[in-house]
Amino acid sequence: MEKSELIPVVSADIETSKFDSNSFYIHQKKFGYRLKVSNESYQLIEFANGKNNLDEIKALLKDDDVSIEFLYDFFYEKMANYGIVINKEKIVEPISKPSYLKLSFIVIPPKIVDLLTPSLKFLFIPKVMYSLLALVIGLLTVIFIKNYELFMSYDLKDINWLYFGALSFISVTFHEFGHASSAKYFGAKHGGIGGGFYLFSPVYFADVSDVWKLSRFKRIIVNVSGMYFESIMASIYIIVGLLFDIQMLVIIGTFVFLHSLWNLNPFLRNDGYWVLSDGLNYPNLSKNSLLLLKDFLLFFFKKAKFQFTIKNMFLVLYAFVNQSFVFVFLYYSISHYGLSLITFPYDLVLFIKDVLNSKAELSLNSLLDFFIPFLFYYLTFNLVRSLILRKLKKRTNKNNTAPNIV
């Protein structure tokens, strides 16, 4: 059969919705793919109704620049790769787990999560949410400022680490229920709650990928709802600790509050990252902003095209800060700490021995002395590791390249 006679058919497993004025959101439910496509691409997909062949679609478009080859590539290669258009000759692989999340696993299945989220939806009624959020933030801020010195100097050896671990687990679980409950409140589906590793650190997550079909404002609410729930839990710990004079509970509650604030960091894939991504309506923020930075640099060196808008310049600045942070920090560490970086492993061993022998306190103040050197080694290791992996990948690709046959 000639390509022009082929009749493209859209899969019955897709769900579509308007993303913004210039694009649509498409979810391939069977294979898990979620795409943002332009209005023009979406119009083409609408033509794949099982009635029009490529020649008829070309005629309907009334555009001489659109060829049969272009239409074939669009429907039977690009869209078929994601299972959006049916191509029986292609094997569509289900979407893999995010590359930044390692060894992920589900702790609480979707069905269990779904049993609890309906009863938590009331916390997102606007009057309840805004009032409670203002109250919680005000309370936590006042208590943290008032007890700052106690918190920084508190001997962490006095904490019952079994209680600390259990209460921390409860708070981060409640954090993820915040994401799932808000998604449920706005009509999006949620998956399970699980764990994994991000940058060698254990992380907890809730699968709320379906929120991409929601409006920008609702997606932002879903993003901050984890911090909202975690702050509520921190307030409960602190209030109970103050009422019953349990100092350890106040310290744990403050730790939980600080962990919640850490999630505002927009340069790691924390809640703050997704808030910024949704606020700008810019999916794949880290990757796409880096591509925009490259285009910006090419504009100066190779006179490539670049659109100077406030949004694009902000994204270029974001990508520059994101990429340069590691090198700026490494330079700062070497210039300010010098030989302390070399002796860090030995100093850390001595400190641990002193703590175990009760010759030194285990407080945040004492741990801060090791924070910069530890972060220096951590970032250096990750930088060297990524460079080695990149080099190995290039070598593998080179070896797998078929030789030219003349």
Side-chain angles (χ1 to χ4, degrees):
M1 182 184 291
E2 294 291 330
K3 286 183 179 179
S4 60
E5 297 176 359
L6 292 172
I7 301 175
V9 180
V10 170
S11 170
D13 297 313
I14 70 167
E15 182 179 70
T16 64
S17 59
K18 190 72 174 173
F19 187 78
D20 56 31
S21 59
N22 300 313
S23 58
F24 280 81
Y25 163 85
I26 300 178
H27 177 202
Q28 216 300 348
K29 295 181 288 185
K30 181 179 180 181
F31 299 109
Y33 290 101
R34 292 175 170 84
L35 275 71
K36 175 188 172 187
V37 300
S38 65
N39 290 338
E40 293 77 14
S41 294
Y42 185 74
Q43 182 187 19
L44 275 179
I45 293 169
E46 285 188 311
F47 284 131
N49 53 18
K51 299 177 182 178
N52 304 314
N53 62 31
L54 296 186
D55 200 32
E56 290 168 336
I57 292 174
K58 174 177 167 57
L60 288 170
L61 290 171
K62 298 177 182 179
D63 188 343
D64 294 334
D65 292 331
V66 176
S67 66
I68 296 296
E69 283 297 328
F70 170 83
L71 292 175
Y72 179 84
D73 181 67
F74 177 80
F75 288 119
Y76 291 97
E77 294 295 333
K78 292 179 179 177
M79 292 298 105
N81 282 336
Y82 302 107
I84 293 173
V85 171
I86 297 172
N87 183 351
K88 294 181 180 178
E89 295 181 1
K90 273 193 176 294
I91 299 175
V92 181
E93 297 290 341
I95 191 169
S96 58
K97 296 175 182 178
S99 58
Y100 59 84
L101 190 62
K102 309 297 183 183
L103 303 175
S104 60
F105 53 91
I106 295 298
V107 177
I108 307 176
K111 289 183 179 180
I112 302 298
V113 177
D114 202 38
L115 291 175
L116 299 176
T117 50
S119 60
L120 297 171
K121 290 197 297 181
F122 79 96
L123 291 169
F124 297 98
I125 299 171
K127 288 184 179 179
V128 175
M129 181 174 68
Y130 295 133
S131 300
L132 192 55
L133 192 58
L135 182 64
V136 164
I137 291 176
L139 173 69
L140 290 173
T141 302
V142 169
I143 290 176
F144 179 71
I145 293 173
K146 187 176 179 180
N147 295 278
Y148 176 78
E149 290 299 329
L150 168 66
F151 179 68
M152 295 301 292
S153 60
Y154 187 84
D155 192 345
L156 299 179
K157 289 184 294 183
D158 293 338
I159 289 181
N160 184 313
W161 289 99
L162 181 61
Y163 290 157
F164 179 85
L167 294 174
S168 296
F169 179 77
I170 291 171
S171 68
V172 295
T173 301
F174 199 55
H175 176 116
E176 301 309 332
F177 268 101
H179 293 307
S181 300
S182 56
K184 184 85 170 182
Y185 177 81
F186 290 121
K189 296 178 182 178
H190 60 71
I193 293 175
F197 289 86
Y198 172 53
L199 295 178
F200 296 99
S201 300
V203 292
Y204 219 29
F205 66 87
D207 181 4
V208 290
S209 305
D210 199 46
V211 300
W212 279 110
K213 69 181 183 183
L214 302 178
S215 67
R216 184 192 313 194
F217 175 75
K218 290 177 180 178
R219 295 199 308 271
I220 292 174
I221 295 296
V222 174
N223 292 330
V224 300
S225 59
M227 293 179 284
Y228 169 45
F229 270 43
E230 195 168 18
S231 297
I232 292 174
M233 189 58 67
S235 299
I236 293 173
Y237 290 165
I238 290 172
I239 290 172
V240 172
L242 292 174
L243 287 176
F244 295 95
D245 195 25
I246 306 174
Q247 198 175 66
M248 181 185 71
L249 205 52
V250 176
I251 298 298
I252 293 174
T254 309
F255 267 115
V256 171
F257 175 52
L258 291 178
H259 176 265
S260 183
L261 291 181
W262 169 251
N263 275 283
L264 288 172
N265 184 347
F267 296 105
L268 298 176
R269 291 180 188 269
N270 294 326
D271 294 339
Y273 172 89
W274 302 112
V275 168
L276 184 60
S277 177
D278 286 327
L280 296 170
N281 235 12
Y282 202 71
N284 296 320
L285 174 62
S286 183
K287 178 182 177 181
N288 289 333
S289 63
L290 181 58
L291 294 174
L292 202 62
L293 174 60
K294 291 179 180 178
D295 291 341
F296 177 73
L297 296 174
L298 288 173
F299 170 81
F300 290 100
F301 295 105
K302 294 188 177 181
K303 302 299 180 183
K305 291 183 180 180
F306 183 82
Q307 189 175 4
F308 283 86
T309 63
I310 294 176
K311 180 178 178 179
N312 281 355
M313 291 310 299
F314 175 82
L315 289 167
V316 165
L317 178 62
Y318 170 85
F320 176 76
V321 173
N322 199 14
Q323 295 299 311
S324 61
F325 168 78
V326 173
F327 299 100
V328 171
F329 177 80
L330 293 180
Y331 172 78
Y332 168 83
S333 301
I334 294 171
S335 61
H336 284 74
Y337 283 78
L339 290 175
S340 298
L341 294 175
I342 299 174
T343 61
F344 165 71
Y346 178 72
D347 294 338
L348 182 61
V349 171
L350 287 182
F351 173 72
I352 293 173
K353 285 183 177 180
D354 287 342
V355 169
L356 293 175
N357 294 325
S358 300
K359 294 180 179 179
E361 287 188 350
L362 182 63
S363 66
L364 283 184
N365 279 327
S366 61
L367 289 176
L368 283 176
D369 294 335
F370 296 95
F371 177 73
I372 297 295
F374 173 79
L375 196 56
F376 172 84
Y377 276 86
Y378 178 80
L379 292 176
T380 302
F381 174 79
N382 277 292
L383 180 61
V384 172
R385 175 180 170 274
S386 64
L387 291 174
I388 292 173
L389 289 176
R390 193 178 302 173
K391 193 170 183 178
L392 289 174
K393 187 176 180 181
K394 285 183 179 180
R395 183 178 296 177
T396 302
N397 291 338
K398 186 177 179 181
N399 292 336
N400 291 338
T401 303
N404 292 323
I405 300 175
V406 180

